[in-house]
Amino acid sequence: MKPDATVQKVFDRANSKWGNRSVPNTNWKCPEGTVPIGRNHDLNSDVHDLNSDVFSSKVVRRTGYIYSGMRTKGDTVKVVHGASANMSVWNPSVVLNNEYSGAGISLESGQGPQRNYIKAGWAVNPRIYGDHQTRLFTVWTVIPSVIIIISVKQADDHHSTGCFNTHCQGFIVTDSRLALDHIVFPTVSKYRGAKEIITYINIAKDTKGNWWLSYGYTNVIGYWPREIFTSLGDGASTAIWAGEVFANDGDYKDPFPVMGSGFVWEDHYNMAAYFENMEFVNSANSSITPDGTTVEFHQNDFCYYAAHYKYSEQRGFNFMYGGPNIDGCW
């Protein structure tokens, strides 16, 4: 299966406009007619203790989830059919195995049991992968402060569904070169580094209600099928571009992880994490460059920053986000 003409037009336009900036090495390929299925670090049981496996790929309890970024404004953007951006790639310090730090693009729709959610981006997540490398990831139906137990039912605000990558039935891989659990960024941005390491994420809805994921402009990884959703198949109500951290410490004894580079410096793109060349797709399937009338800052706490949005010919619409590890961030 391949993207339909509507999605391919969105992907082709982005490729011609912004070009390919950074793609990790993926020079291996599965046999003809097969696709890769990743194996994660913590899938040795079908039954998980909700208290101990707080951030495995099978069960998620997000008791300490903080995000900082931008989102489409609900009063001016009613329906979203896609979102994309270049993202600077970092390797933030994550000390504990039940913590993670990353950044991604999300599409959301619905309320309560009809709420659906998909996301793609990069993250350091030792709980899932058993290491501290920066990897590409996808996730569907994971909403903050909700417990998720994997099943093959429709998305329902995480009362019974959702997972990372291909750890349950949901996301369908169509590219035999790419295994989601094994897309590792061999190099990352460094503070005051000479080179900015960037990856590109594009998520777009086809005419049937499937949501396609393109990575690095020319790599269509696969799609979330309409059948797993209860509301997102008709389009999203919100697009979000954000950094995020998670720590599961009910007493808040340990500092939260670094977000992005750990710093936010205006106009210093080699020192701060950022999203650039941001676009969203409207209900007419036209790609729109955001401005102050269509997007706004989106944070659930002020421990980390999202700031300095602007437009330039080279970077398009862009903003910076992040901050250091925070002690008692509530």
Side-chain angles (χ1 to χ4, degrees):
M1 185 171 174
K2 295 182 179 180
D4 66 10
T6 299
V7 171
Q8 196 59 56
K9 181 179 179 181
V10 172
F11 289 169
D12 289 346
R13 179 185 178 277
N15 186 28
S16 63
K17 185 175 182 180
W18 303 117
N20 197 348
R21 296 286 296 273
S22 176
V23 180
N25 296 326
T26 52
N27 54 9
W28 56 274
K29 191 172 183 178
C30 291
E32 189 70 25
T34 66
V35 295
I37 301 297
R39 303 300 181 194
N40 78 314
H41 181 63
D42 188 22
L43 278 180
N44 51 13
S45 174
D46 290 330
V47 180
H48 290 259
D49 183 338
L50 291 178
N51 293 318
S52 61
D53 278 344
V54 293
F55 202 58
S56 75
S57 65
K58 289 256 184 172
V59 178
V60 180
R61 177 180 295 195
R62 286 188 159 183
T63 58
Y65 173 74
I66 299 179
Y67 52 83
S68 187
M70 301 195 78
R71 66 180 176 188
T72 52
K73 288 184 176 180
D75 56 344
T76 56
V77 181
K78 302 297 185 181
V79 179
V80 181
H81 284 181
S84 60
N86 277 323
M87 302 166 19
S88 60
V89 180
W90 298 81
N91 184 250
S93 173
V94 176
V95 177
L96 302 178
N97 284 340
N98 63 351
E99 299 179 344
Y100 88 98
S101 180
I105 299 173
S106 311
L107 285 305
E108 296 184 9
S109 70
Q111 298 291 328
Q114 299 299 314
R115 193 175 190 187
N116 299 175
Y117 176 99
I118 57 177
K119 178 187 292 184
W122 61 262
V124 177
N125 193 331
R127 181 62 176 176
I128 290 183
Y129 303 115
D131 60 38
H132 291 77
Q133 297 185 88
T134 303
R135 299 172 186 261
L136 187 77
F137 79 97
T138 67
V139 67
W140 65 282
T141 321
V142 177
I143 302 297
S145 301
V146 183
I147 298 173
I148 305 113
I149 303 175
I150 297 311
S151 78
V152 295
K153 299 178 183 179
Q154 287 183 313
D156 60 357
D157 197 22
H158 307 291
H159 293 293
S160 60
T161 63
C163 69
F164 287 88
N165 299 340
T166 53
H167 300 168
C168 68
Q169 294 183 21
F171 187 84
I172 297 174
V173 177
T174 60
D175 190 330
S176 62
R177 299 171 302 165
L178 302 171
L180 283 172
D181 286 337
H182 301 291
I183 301 179
V184 177
F185 292 88
T187 56
V188 296
S189 299
K190 302 292 186 183
Y191 184 73
R192 295 184 181 273
K195 184 178 181 180
E196 302 163 29
I197 305 301
I198 300 169
T199 193
Y200 178 77
I201 297 292
N202 196 334
I203 305 173
K205 187 182 78 68
D206 67 18
T207 54
K208 295 181 179 180
N210 305 310
W211 288 86
W212 288 84
L213 172 62
S214 176
Y215 150 68
Y217 294 97
T218 58
N219 299 284
V220 179
I221 296 178
Y223 65 98
W224 293 273
R226 181 190 181 105
E227 289 73 22
I228 67 175
F229 301 120
T230 58
S231 61
L232 197 54
D234 296 322
S237 57
T238 308
I240 301 170
W241 302 259
E244 60 185 29
V245 298
F246 172 86
N248 192 82
D249 183 358
D251 296 325
Y252 316 123
K253 297 176 182 177
D254 298 301
F256 271 58
V258 168
M259 180 187 289
S261 71
F263 301 90
V264 178
W265 297 100
E266 184 174 8
D267 293 329
H268 291 279
Y269 293 91
N270 67 337
M271 297 165 65
Y274 58 83
F275 288 82
E276 66 174 20
N277 305 135
M278 292 165 54
E279 292 184 331
F280 65 90
V281 180
N282 65 12
S283 58
N285 292 315
S286 297
S287 296
I288 307 297
T289 298
D291 59 28
T293 67
T294 56
V295 294
E296 62 188 354
F297 287 117
H298 180 52
Q299 297 169 270
N300 66 340
D301 204 292
F302 293 98
C303 295
Y304 301 91
Y305 299 93
H308 311 310
Y309 80 79
K310 63 186 67 177
Y311 179 87
S312 71
E313 288 299 319
Q314 176 187 1
R315 298 182 183 271
F317 189 89
N318 64 90
F319 74 94
M320 296 178 172
Y321 70 90
N325 56 328
I326 304 295
D327 192 3
C329 185
W330 292 95

